[in-house]
Amino acid sequence: MATKLIDERRIKVLNDRSPDDTNAYVLYWMQHSQRAERNEALEFAIGRANEHGAPLCVGFGLTEDYPEGSLRHFQFMLEGLAETAEAIQRRGACFVLRLGSPDQVAIDLAKEAIEVVTDRGYLRHHRQWRESVAKEIAVRLTQVECDLIVPVETASTKREYAARTIRSKIEELSDEFLHQLRTTPVDRECQCGPHGESLDDIDRLLKQMKIDQSVDALDWIVGGTSAARKRLKHFIEDRLTGYERERSDPLAAHVSTLSPYLHFGMISPVDVAIAVRDARQRRTSDIDSYLEELIVRRELAHNFTHYARADYDQFSCLPDWAIETLQDHRDDERPTIYTANELEHSQTDDEIWNAAMTEVRERGYLHNQLRMYWGKRFLEWTNTPEYAYRTLLSLNNKYFLDGRDANSFANVGWVFGLHDRAFGERPIFGKVRYLSKDGIEKKFDSEAYVAQLD
Ligand SMILES: Cc1cc2nc3c(=O)[nH]c(=O)nc-3n(C[C@H](O)[C@H](O)[C@H](O)COP(=O)(O)OP(=O)(O)OC[C@H]3O[C@@H](n4cnc5c(N)ncnc54)[C@H](O)[C@@H]3O)c2cc1C
């Protein structure tokens, strides 16, 4: 497949300053796209550095205060960053990681920068960091969007209602963005960049950081681009066939487990989509079904956090019909009320749910079918829909390795009616879609699942 340059629609200048050639290097302030491969922002920054005849410095701000971050998330991220740092240095740029608020780290490194390039994030604090850097630095800041197939504002100029309203817009455009990216060699090697923290000993760095140590790190999954590529290869070879039919069976495990890697930008969704689309001797229905999740559903979630700016993490983000029907049923009697602590520690009378909650806590991952069932029961077991929403979102983001993502906010919202339609009215749920225990038991061998987690 022919390689192409970066599509102009991914690029946006965020302030009106000019480059300053008297400075030392071009800075790529990396935050969201934590990879050295298929990274449009990195390639763009190399191009700018070559044009200025200057070296490239890649800077990363590691904040201990990242919202809802814990040891589990930081360890996975640092494993990936250690690999990325090495790969960037092999390409002839330097990599500097500093502890501090990402915007402040970028502002400090920008004092010596000719110009600054960054990638794009889709949550409130990601936008605020970029706004603050654009305002504070004396040179140009350019954003290059690397973690969606179709850039968010190109796909749609408004908040979409559901997959059915964004699907045709994305499908019409996605082929234009599914191409290999031309890589640019670094002309002038960076000899000695600014000082930063070493990534040689991640455990030491993690111990020295003031972070929530209460959520254990994971040993079944390791961060980084090469681990992501290995998982993608395994998925295409062994799990893609049957994806469409078996994807509702958690035990069949026809899933890619790529969501944590996509969350930390360790692999490009474009690379994943191309590899799956071009997989040989695979059924079109399996390929289409996977691309529906990876492209349409994932990009719908990013549309949501991008356009529902103020309240994508609040109960008020739900559609009016859902809020109305949940309020109509707010006083309906609940079968049992559990405290947040009982829920978090799998102390309910539902053995499937308890096993799922245990998997969430211990593995930081759950199959989509179980996530749906796990999420839905919060409404039945808490006093109010608002409290159910808050408790679910907080456990989702505390334990999932892929938590705190646009997908987290959109899918927790989905439990309460977001991006969905109204169904027949029933107690507690009103017109919001209900998933029964009987229904989930018919989908897979739940006894075997529970036994596995015992
Ligand atoms: C209550 C609830 C909470 C969820 N919380 C999260 C979360 O915190 N983070 C997260 O990334 N996903 C979340 N999801 C969506 C989905 O369950 C996960 O993305 C998926 O299970 C990840 O596993 P995988 O990579 O093996 O998926 P695969 O089946 O291999 O899918 C490939 C990719 O498609 C995307 N995808 C799959 N399903 C969805 C979906 N429903 N919406 C958007 N994108 C999707 C993901 O990026 C995923 O990595 C949640 C779903 C529910 C119902």
Side-chain angles (χ1 to χ4, degrees):
M1 193 194 295
T3 59
K4 285 196 193 165
L5 294 172
I6 302 156
D7 193 295
E8 288 290 325
R9 289 168 286 184
R10 295 195 181 278
I11 303 169
K12 191 172 180 185
V13 177
L14 298 185
N15 61 10
D16 58 2
R17 322 270 148 82
S18 306
D20 180 351
D21 270 304
T22 61
N23 277 336
Y25 48 72
V26 167
L27 174 68
Y28 165 27
W29 164 35
M30 175 185 279
Q31 216 54 68
H32 205 269
S33 311
Q34 299 172 19
R35 59 182 182 271
E37 291 173 20
R38 178 76 207 209
N39 179 333
E40 286 85 349
L42 175 63
E43 298 306 328
F44 183 83
I46 294 173
R48 300 304 303 149
N50 290 349
E51 203 148 301
H52 291 290
L56 175 71
C57 171
V58 180
F60 189 94
L62 180 63
T63 172
E64 295 164 316
D65 298 325
Y66 194 95
E68 302 175 287
S70 69
L71 178 64
R72 173 169 296 180
H73 302 119
F74 279 107
Q75 161 142 338
F76 186 80
M77 183 171 84
L78 289 179
E79 285 165 355
L81 281 174
E83 183 187 346
T84 295
E86 274 184 26
I88 281 175
Q89 281 152 6
R90 275 199 303 275
R91 287 188 71 175
C94 56
F95 185 91
V96 183
L97 176 131
R98 283 191 185 165
L99 284 175
S101 178
D103 53 345
Q104 201 46 56
V105 170
I107 290 165
D108 287 344
L109 289 171
K111 288 179 185 143
E112 292 293 313
I114 297 167
E115 60 176 298
V116 182
V117 176
T118 192
D119 41 43
R120 182 169 205 165
Y122 301 88
L123 303 184
R124 197 174 302 117
H125 49 286
H126 300 152
R127 282 193 290 267
Q128 283 163 355
W129 289 337
R130 284 161 183 79
E131 278 161 22
S132 121
V133 174
K135 204 163 102 213
E136 294 297 325
I137 64 174
V139 294
R140 183 194 288 159
L141 175 65
T142 308
Q143 172 183 272
V144 184
E145 191 166 352
C146 320
D147 289 302
L148 290 183
I149 288 163
V150 183
V152 68
E153 285 144 346
T154 307
S156 171
T157 52
K158 62 177 174 66
R159 178 174 165 179
E160 295 289 343
Y161 290 105
R164 76 188 137 73
T165 67
I166 201 171
R167 186 174 294 110
S168 61
K169 297 179 185 175
I170 288 192
E171 283 175 353
E172 212 167 276
L173 290 162
S174 57
D175 274 353
E176 294 174 31
F177 293 93
L178 290 180
H179 58 77
Q180 302 294 353
L181 181 67
R182 191 172 303 165
T183 52
T184 310
V186 169
D187 286 348
R188 199 172 140 197
E189 261 197 42
C190 186
Q191 298 297 351
C192 174
H195 70 92
E197 299 289 333
S198 164
L199 279 162
D200 291 345
D201 188 347
I202 291 172
D203 289 341
R204 189 194 53 79
L205 184 55
L206 285 167
K207 278 199 193 103
Q208 149 200 341
M209 289 172 68
K210 292 187 203 73
I211 53 173
D212 174 5
Q213 305 271 350
S214 71
V215 185
D216 291 341
L218 300 168
D219 56 14
W220 67 273
I221 187 165
V222 65
T225 301
S226 47
R229 290 204 174 282
K230 231 184 261 172
R231 268 176 201 274
L232 174 61
K233 185 166 177 287
H234 167 72
F235 172 68
I236 291 174
E237 283 170 2
D238 293 345
R239 302 328 255 163
L240 178 55
T241 297
Y243 182 83
E244 184 201 21
R245 215 186 39 235
E246 307 280 357
R247 71 175 295 272
S248 52
D249 181 351
L251 295 174
H254 280 273
V255 284
S256 65
T257 54
L258 282 175
S259 50
Y261 299 94
L262 289 162
H263 169 71
F264 288 98
M266 293 170 183
I267 192 164
S268 157
V270 178
D271 270 1
V272 177
I274 291 175
V276 170
R277 184 195 64 182
D278 297 347
R280 286 173 204 277
Q281 294 167 344
R282 296 292 183 273
R283 271 197 304 263
T284 317
S285 57
D286 288 327
I287 292 175
D288 289 349
S289 172
Y290 187 81
L291 295 181
E292 164 74 14
E293 300 305 324
L294 175 75
I295 310 183
V296 178
R297 301 281 164 175
R298 182 169 178 273
E299 304 208 349
L300 173 65
H302 288 75
N303 168 281
F304 168 63
T305 55
H306 179 72
Y307 287 111
R309 288 177 172 245
D311 66 352
Y312 62 75
D313 52 354
Q314 307 290 323
F315 186 79
S316 57
C317 75
L318 301 175
D320 292 345
W321 70 264
I323 293 181
E324 215 167 280
T325 194
L326 290 170
Q327 296 307 356
D328 286 348
H329 290 271
R330 97 183 263 116
D331 296 329
D332 292 359
E333 199 178 325
R334 271 63 178 157
T336 321
I337 299 288
Y338 295 107
T339 63
N341 192 48
E342 284 167 334
L343 291 169
E344 181 167 1
H345 294 97
S346 308
Q347 289 163 0
T348 76
D349 62 359
D350 176 344
E351 69 292 354
I352 304 175
W353 194 92
N354 290 344
M357 186 65 233
T358 301
E359 193 177 357
V360 173
R361 265 195 337 271
E362 293 182 358
R363 279 192 88 225
Y365 175 86
L366 195 64
H367 188 283
N368 183 60
Q369 189 65 41
L370 283 162
R371 290 195 204 210
M372 294 195 281
Y373 180 66
W374 173 69
K376 286 285 179 184
R377 297 228 70 182
F378 280 78
L379 257 173
E380 285 174 280
W381 288 339
T382 50
N383 282 326
T384 65
E386 292 86 348
Y387 186 66
Y389 174 89
R390 277 203 308 278
T391 311
L392 171 58
L393 185 58
S394 132
L395 292 177
N396 188 98
N397 287 350
K398 178 171 179 183
Y399 288 113
F400 282 137
L401 208 44
D402 59 25
R404 312 164 306 152
D405 190 269
N407 272 355
S408 319
F409 299 102
N411 278 284
V412 165
W414 172 86
V415 167
F416 300 85
L418 180 73
H419 296 155
D420 207 358
R421 65 177 175 84
F423 286 75
E425 198 153 0
R426 55 174 298 124
I428 305 169
F429 286 77
K431 294 176 188 159
V432 168
R433 182 196 295 257
Y434 173 69
L435 293 183
S436 70
K437 192 167 180 217
D438 288 352
I440 191 97
E441 279 168 342
K442 281 191 198 120
K443 297 257 181 208
F444 70 104
D445 184 351
S446 54
E447 277 179 27
Y449 173 70
V450 172
Q452 242 182 30
L453 268 292
D454 259 354

